[in-house]
Amino acid sequence: MHVNASPALAQPALSARGVARRYGPKTAVEGADLDLRPGRITCLLGPSGCGKSTLLRLIAGLEPADEGEILAGGQTLSGPGVHVPPEQRGVGLVFQDYALFPHLSVLANVAFGLKHRPRKERNARALALLEKVRLAARADAWPHMLSGGEQQRVALARALAREPAAVLLDEPFSGLDSHLKAEVRQTLLSALRAAGAAVLIVTHDAEEALLMADDLALMSEGRILQVGEPRHCYLNPVSMAAARLLGEANALPARIIGGVAETAFGDVPAPGLPDGAGMVMVRPEGLRLWLEGAPAEIVSTAFGGGFHEVTVVAAGQTARLRLHGGVPAVGEQVFVTIDADRARVFAA
Ligand code: ADP
């Protein structure tokens, strides 16, 4: 299933249509549709091995597609009998390890992408690009003298040198210390937004994807399950599998009767769904302890930093929720309610 929940937007700079890639008997990507739009950041999120990097390589033209098409405006970049080479696609690439030349200065690394221009113009343009990523002051440094985040911005400046219609980044934060990530992310995002290109970021980190994306594409086992704005995907996943890609989700068995899904933790509206078995997806923060509700017992609690993770059982069903205030003791009897805005019902 493929659902695009984004409102009407600019024409895509790059599109994948029904793209597939196989390695022997292994299908790495199957029937992938994806649009990258100018000025928007698309995050391709999925677990390791689900085919994200392969799809990125197909879009970049580093590998041929076995099926489907890659389009840029009216032009076919990949398709039956067509394979435009990477350097002619108007695509800039930032690899996981940044792939800077260690023997070239920062400026020379960026200027490398401008070989087609006269030397003098090359350096001026490279310096302007370094300014864009706020590294002009380090133009004469060697790559090894820079932090991981700075090296990444050099790689981005180099990728932007040919004014690409799209910039593709593969796991751009995987090599960085976690305490630096928030700051590096902000700086990188500002530079990407200033460039105005269509951006594709491949990541396996749900929080990162939610924080960065204008458009999110959820991928699992070679297929794109859902495309939409982060908030929409988070609150309205198309399936339990899509829900779980974006963070913890309780799957509560339900009985749907007359447009209401009944669970052990309370009822959720299910307008238009047929009577019968169903499943309610509810995020941990969508379950609350309250003065009334479904009687339940606390079976475990765990300290999670800014919250406590609490496991409750009601009528034999288990669910996890998050508490930000006081924590009840294990064995305590409580009442649980479901916030219907944070729940979604699936028919069986
Ligand atoms: P992800 O980026 O989501 O971690 P990949 O696109 O790297 O996933 O890989 C998807 C699947 O395709 C994996 O099972 C991987 O082992 C397989 N694969 C990727 N590249 C190759 C290749 N060059 N040869 C054979 N199998 C590959």
Side-chain angles (χ1 to χ4, degrees), residues 223-272:
R223 294 185 165 274
I224 291 180
L225 304 180
Q226 184 170 10
V227 179
E229 290 178 0
R231 192 183 167 77
H232 180 85
C233 294
Y234 186 79
L235 295 175
N236 298 289
V238 292
S239 63
M240 270 314 293
R244 292 214 160 101
L245 290 180
L246 283 175
E248 181 150 1
N250 292 292
L252 307 176
R255 204 167 54 130
I256 302 170
I257 303 172
V260 176
E262 301 174 355
T263 80
F265 294 93
D267 297 349
V268 177

Side-chain angles (χ1 to χ4, degrees), residues 23 26-28 46-55 57 63 170 202:
Y23 300 110
K26 164 91 197 166
T27 298
S48 179
C50 77
K52 305 180 296 294
S53 300
T54 302
L55 182 52
R57 291 197 300 272
E63 290 182 27
D170 196 352
V202 159

Side-chain angles (χ1 to χ4, degrees), residues 41 132-134 156 160 183-196:
I41 293 173
K132 226 179 218 176
V133 299
R134 300 200 298 149
L156 176 63
L160 292 174
E183 196 188 326
V184 169
R185 192 165 54 220
Q186 273 318 315
T187 316
L188 182 76
L189 282 184
S190 324
L192 285 170
R193 293 210 184 278

